[in-house]
């Protein structure tokens, strides 16, 4: 892997909740530009913004009405260009969220497509032949007779890239000129944002574009074609999928994919099984990073190692602290527990993706009414907590996008910058460690010494070995004393003669004598 993703430390920003500079209560691009110093100084070298295109905001911006325009709530296209330039001036990279599979029902293409009269956009979306003919879609929406196939929510009609194996007359083959036209439009959109300065695309719902693709071969041909077009224009520009099957995604043409992601069993087995964290009903059981010590790290490793070995050096696995779709990792976790989580994400092979606010351990806000299609996800999208000023420094407005966490003791950037022992400064330390040892990231050697409580492993980089041990449980565990030379950080760890004593919620990271 010799691209920049291998040494990336990504910071995901939900733009409406990050920093509002014009006082309208909604975060904006200028607000992100203003905070680049902060982001860079914490060690992040890549930012990923959730969609910034013009939208009807029935799904937080994942319902686009104009692919070529920044939504006015965030600023202008020029602001975006300026953001890209400012990112590049710092030697950083920027990832664009590409919602390739669907638009909003308010997109002009869809309005045209809904008409009875045939026009250029009649087949831009997938419509059955009459309203009685079902499918995973919405019927009786328009004068046009037919059901439109939805890609996600009802307001997100699927764009028509065609069917690998059509099974009805209205299912057009991928070679149909109207499906090819949709693909060509996607290329135009990609080129447009590449010209703006984008360094990578995170492709929303990446496997869903071609329908009835039972063995994935058409999807593979599709993304390889897109990748060649991107490479021809700029070989440094990369593709990251929202898929959840990294080995398959990388075979399909992507440079990286997420393993820890939404309701993926690898993610829940680490962080979200415990009934007490039961924000979403399927998170029941015991996860590894719980103090009850009843989780099993092998539930994660079984998924992870299989993917890691299949991928080799061909791509990277994204390891998320969280994202805009799931309960925050800080929910019901102490700052000490959070340090173990971050140590894990920053020292396992792969690329850490830190969701804004997780670096200070922001909480999931329970019981908020759904905002712009957020539903249960709304509690993970509350404004960034910068300081103790109005709205935690996010906005001067009396009506911020979502309420800020005003509880006493809620973490803020300013309080954590002033505390040497804070989670934020620990994250910064880990980020700097990765930067100084770039091969510690992405794909260098992983040697698992003990897959349990404690979880003990080594990473070897250019002849240098890092030793990592962690015990998320509340019980004390022992490990034969290794020969350590330089302890980089530790928490609740002691030495007793021959052993490392890992007390409850403890960790150590050190360089090892080899
Ligand atoms: C995945 C995105 O992460 C999520 O927020 C969105 O609702 C769906 N895709 C649909 O675009």
């Amino acid at each position: 892997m010799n691209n920049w993703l291998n040494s990336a430390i990504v910071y995901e920003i939900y733009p409406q909740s990050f920093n509002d500079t014009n006082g309208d209560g909604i975060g904006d691009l200028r607000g992100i530009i203003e905070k680049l110093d902060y982001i860079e100084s914490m060690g992040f070298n890549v930012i990923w913004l959730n969609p910034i295109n013009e939208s009807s905001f029935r799904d937080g911006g994942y319902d686009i009405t104009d692919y070529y325009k920044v939504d006015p709530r965030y600023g202008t296209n020029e602001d975006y260009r300026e953001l890209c330039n400012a990112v590049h001036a710092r030697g950083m990279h920027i990832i664009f969220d590409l919602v390739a599979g669907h638009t909003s029902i308010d997109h002009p293409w869809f309005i045209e497509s809904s008409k009875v009269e045939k026009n250029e956009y009649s087949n831009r979306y997938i419509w059955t032949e009459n309203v009685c003919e079902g499918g995973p879609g919405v019927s009786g929406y328009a004068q046009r007779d037919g059901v439109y196939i939805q890609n996600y929510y009802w307001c997100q009609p699927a764009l028509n890239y065609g069917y690998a194996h059509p099974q009805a007359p209205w299912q057009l083959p991928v070679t149909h000129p109207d499906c090819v036209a949709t693909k060509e439009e996607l290329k135009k959109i990609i080129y447009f944002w590449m010209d703006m300065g984008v360094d990578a695309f995170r492709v929303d719902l990446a496997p869903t574009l071609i329908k009835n693709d039972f063995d994935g071969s058409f999807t593979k041909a599709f993304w390889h074609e897109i990748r060649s077009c991107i490479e021809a224009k700029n070989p440094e520009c990369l593709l990251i999928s929202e898929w959840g099957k990294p080995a398959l995604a990388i075979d399909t043409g992507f440079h990286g994919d997420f393993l820890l992601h939404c309701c993926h069993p690898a993610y829940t087995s680490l962080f979200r099984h415990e009934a007490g964290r039961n924000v979403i009903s399927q998170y029941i059981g015991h996860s590894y990073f719980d103090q009850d010590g009843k989780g099993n790290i092998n539930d994660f490793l079984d998924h992870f190692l299989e993917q890691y070995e299949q991928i080799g050096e061909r791509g990277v696995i994204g390891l998320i602290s969280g994202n805009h779709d799931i309960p925050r990792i800080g929910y019901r976790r102490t700052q000490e527990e959070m340090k173990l989580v971050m140590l894990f994400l920053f020292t396992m092979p792969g690329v850490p993706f830190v969701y804004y606010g997780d670096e200070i351990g922001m909480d999931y806000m329970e019981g908020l009414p759904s905002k712009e299609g957020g539903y249960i996800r709304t509690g993970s999208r509350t404004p960034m907590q910068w300081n103790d000023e109005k709205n935690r420094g996010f906005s001067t407005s009396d009506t911020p996008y979502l309420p800020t966490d005003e509880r006493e003791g809620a973490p803020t950037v300013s309080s954590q910058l002033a505390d040497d022992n804070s989670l934020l400064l620990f994250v910064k330390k880990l980020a700097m460690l990765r930067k100084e040892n770039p091969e510690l990231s992405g794909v260098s050697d992983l040697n698992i010494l003990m897959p349990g409580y404690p979880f003990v492993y080594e990473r070897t980089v250019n002849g240098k070995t890092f030793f990592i041990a962690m015990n998320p449980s509340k019980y004390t565990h022992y490990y034969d004393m290794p020969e350590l030379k330089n302890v980089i950080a530790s928490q609740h760890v002691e030495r007793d003669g021959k052993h490392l004593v890992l007390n409850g919620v403890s960790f150590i990271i050190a360089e090892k004598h080899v």
Side-chain angles (χ1 to χ4, degrees):
M1 270 289 287
N2 57 0
N3 65 47
W4 55 264
L5 202 52
N6 191 33
S7 51
I9 306 173
V10 185
Y11 192 65
E12 179 193 343
I13 298 173
Y14 195 65
Q16 43 273 65
S17 296
F18 196 59
N19 185 29
D20 169 24
T21 53
N22 63 359
D24 66 355
I26 300 184
D28 43 52
L29 295 177
R30 303 222 69 81
I32 297 172
I33 296 173
E34 194 177 277
K35 295 295 184 186
L36 283 178
D37 282 348
Y38 162 75
I39 296 168
E40 184 188 15
S41 67
M42 290 306 120
F44 299 103
N45 53 17
V46 181
I47 59 171
W48 157 28
L49 271 49
N50 295 108
I52 43 84
N53 291 116
E54 188 190 80
S55 168
S56 29
F57 291 105
R58 287 193 182 88
D59 181 17
Y62 285 90
D63 47 330
I64 288 170
T65 53
D66 188 342
Y67 281 105
Y68 298 97
K69 189 177 167 203
V70 165
D71 193 275
R73 65 159 55 170
Y74 302 127
T76 62
N77 284 19
E78 270 321 297
D79 292 335
Y80 190 79
R81 193 187 292 279
E82 200 179 316
L83 172 64
C84 291
N85 291 340
V87 163
H88 295 152
R90 290 169 158 78
M92 295 165 59
H93 293 94
I94 182 164
I95 303 175
F96 183 89
D97 209 321
L98 182 66
V99 188
H102 52 264
T103 67
S104 160
I105 46 166
D106 300 321
H107 195 295
W109 299 340
F110 189 70
I111 293 169
E112 286 303 302
S113 194
S114 312
K115 292 183 178 161
V116 178
E117 306 79 42
K118 282 259 176 272
N119 61 59
E120 190 188 341
Y121 298 101
S122 297
N123 286 328
R124 180 56 51 101
Y125 300 85
I126 309 167
W127 295 83
T128 64
E129 272 173 349
N130 62 67
V131 284
C132 301
E133 199 172 349
V138 177
S139 73
Y141 175 78
Q143 268 198 326
R144 175 178 176 157
D145 194 8
V147 171
Y148 70 77
I149 304 303
Q150 70 189 69
N151 220 32
Y152 203 65
Y153 291 151
W154 69 275
C155 57
Q156 292 161 317
L159 283 162
N160 195 358
Y161 296 95
Y163 279 71
H165 302 284
Q167 288 170 341
W170 52 269
Q171 300 184 351
L172 305 180
V174 294
T175 49
H176 188 284
D178 292 342
C179 302
V180 173
T182 311
K183 180 171 65 182
E184 293 306 312
E185 187 74 40
L186 179 67
K187 289 182 193 167
K188 256 177 75 188
I189 295 165
I190 289 173
Y191 294 149
F192 181 86
W193 292 101
M194 284 175 78
D195 285 339
M196 242 353 152
V198 159
D199 300 297
F201 295 89
R202 173 269 189 192
V203 181
D204 190 62
L205 300 178
T208 67
L209 271 52
I210 312 281
K211 309 300 182 197
N212 284 4
D213 187 14
F214 308 119
D215 67 359
S217 56
F218 285 74
T219 303
K220 189 169 175 175
F222 181 94
W223 285 114
H224 275 284
E225 181 181 334
I226 299 285
R227 177 163 165 170
S228 319
C229 294
I230 292 177
E231 275 172 0
K233 194 169 163 61
N234 175 6
E236 300 274 293
C237 187
L238 308 178
L239 274 175
I240 301 162
S241 51
E242 187 210 22
W243 197 314
K245 293 184 177 162
L248 179 58
I250 283 156
D251 280 347
T252 304
F254 291 90
H255 298 89
D257 181 37
F258 301 97
L259 179 62
L260 300 185
H261 145 97
C262 286
C263 303
H264 195 289
Y267 185 83
T268 51
S269 70
L270 283 176
F271 301 128
R272 285 291 168 220
H273 263 320
E274 194 229 329
R277 302 213 163 96
N278 189 13
V279 183
I280 295 177
S281 56
Q282 65 262 44
Y283 299 145
I284 297 172
H286 301 278
S287 61
Y288 180 72
F289 281 92
D290 282 330
Q291 288 211 30
D292 67 4
K294 291 183 180 164
N296 185 348
I297 190 74
N298 287 311
D299 291 345
F300 164 77
L301 290 174
D302 288 350
H303 288 280
F304 178 80
L305 293 175
E306 190 193 8
Q307 302 288 315
Y308 175 62
E309 275 149 26
Q310 280 180 36
I311 294 167
E313 305 221 341
R314 293 179 301 125
V316 295
I317 299 179
L319 299 176
I320 62 165
S321 69
N323 68 24
H324 57 290
D325 290 333
I326 54 178
R328 277 200 182 267
I329 191 91
Y331 182 57
R332 301 197 179 162
R333 278 204 170 86
T334 64
Q335 298 267 318
E336 286 194 338
E337 289 175 299
M338 281 295 294
K339 285 186 182 171
L340 270 75
V341 169
M342 290 296 182
L343 177 67
F344 176 85
L345 295 173
F346 275 78
T347 58
M348 285 294 283
V351 172
F353 281 70
V354 175
Y355 184 50
Y356 81 97
D358 285 350
E359 75 275 26
I360 54 171
M362 267 174 65
D363 203 354
Y364 173 83
M365 302 281 284
E366 288 181 59
L368 290 179
S370 176
K371 177 83 176 183
E372 298 185 339
Y375 302 99
I376 202 150
R377 307 173 296 184
T378 304
S380 297
R381 299 177 175 186
T382 57
M384 181 64 178
Q385 295 157 203
W386 296 104
N387 52 44
D388 287 336
E389 289 166 26
K390 184 173 178 178
N391 297 318
R392 297 273 181 217
F394 158 68
S395 169
T396 53
S397 168
D398 290 335
T399 51
Y401 178 73
L402 279 168
T404 36
D405 186 349
E406 293 299 324
R407 289 170 297 180
E408 210 185 323
T412 63
V413 169
S414 66
S415 63
Q416 295 209 6
L417 283 175
D419 173 3
D420 285 346
N421 198 28
S422 68
L423 176 63
L424 179 61
L425 293 182
F426 181 65
V427 168
K428 176 176 180 177
K429 189 170 192 167
L430 291 173
M432 295 306 169
L433 186 72
R434 271 182 88 107
K435 275 196 170 160
E436 284 153 20
N437 301 278
E439 298 86 351
L440 184 60
S441 47
V443 294
S444 68
D445 282 358
L446 168 73
N447 180 19
I448 294 176
L449 301 170
M450 182 159 174
Y453 291 102
F455 179 39
V456 186
Y457 54 101
E458 293 173 342
R459 300 286 309 277
T460 298
V461 181
N462 289 340
K464 193 170 176 182
T465 295
F466 290 93
F467 171 90
I468 297 126
M470 62 184 73
N471 171 26
S473 83
K474 63 185 170 201
Y475 306 105
T476 300
H477 290 277
Y478 299 86
Y479 187 76
D480 282 351
M481 191 67 210
E483 279 199 44
L484 303 179
K485 61 174 181 193
N486 171 25
V487 176
I488 296 157
S490 75
Q491 174 174 287
H492 304 317
V493 170
E494 297 163 71
R495 294 162 191 232
D496 99 10
K498 292 190 175 141
H499 298 111
L500 264 186
V501 183
L502 289 128
N503 295 304
V505 193
S506 59
F507 70 81
I508 180 165
I509 171 164
E511 274 180 59
K512 199 174 167 187
H513 276 295
V514 275

